[in-house]
Amino acid sequence: MKELKVRKIGNSLGSIFPKDWGVENGAKLEYKVDQQHHKVIIDLNSTAVKHDRELIEKSFAEFDKKSLTEQDMQAKFGKYGWDNVSN
């Protein structure tokens, strides 16, 4: 099991998370304390879902900028028979 070092940050305590966890500055992490087993469980799933959603939205925004209309496709690829394709 790996360790996280707890440090004093102002009047509080905190820790620095490994970069490969994908936690970003200002992220809100869900956690629960298991008193019976003396554990704190940090749930990165909601952070991962938010990150993935942002990547998907960004890719769709880029897709819309780069996509061609039917007329663009005919003009660009008509010599290859694009406009003669039957459904």
Side-chain angles (χ1 to χ4, degrees):
M1 184 178 290
K2 295 184 179 183
E3 297 178 343
L4 291 174
K5 185 175 183 178
V6 177
R7 301 164 191 239
K8 184 169 177 59
I9 302 173
N11 291 329
S12 301
L13 297 175
S15 186
I16 296 175
F17 299 107
K19 188 174 184 176
D20 63 344
W21 282 17
V23 178
E24 296 180 4
N25 186 33
K28 294 182 180 181
L29 304 177
E30 295 179 2
Y31 71 94
K32 81 176 174 182
V33 177
D34 182 347
Q35 296 287 353
Q36 182 179 6
H37 297 101
H38 306 286
K39 292 182 179 182
V40 175
I41 302 167
I42 300 172
D43 183 2
L44 298 177
N45 187 52
S46 62
T47 301
V49 168
K50 179 183 175 192
H51 177 260
D52 292 349
R53 183 176 293 127
E54 289 172 357
L55 287 177
I56 291 168
E57 289 175 0
K58 180 181 175 186
S59 68
F60 275 111
E62 291 172 0
F63 177 78
D64 288 343
K65 292 176 188 173
K66 295 178 183 177
S67 62
L68 300 174
T69 66
E70 186 73 23
Q71 293 78 22
D72 294 336
M73 293 294 285
Q74 287 177 354
K76 188 169 184 98
F77 301 109
K79 65 182 176 183
Y80 302 111
W82 178 265
D83 53 349
N84 296 326
V85 176
S86 60
N87 292 339

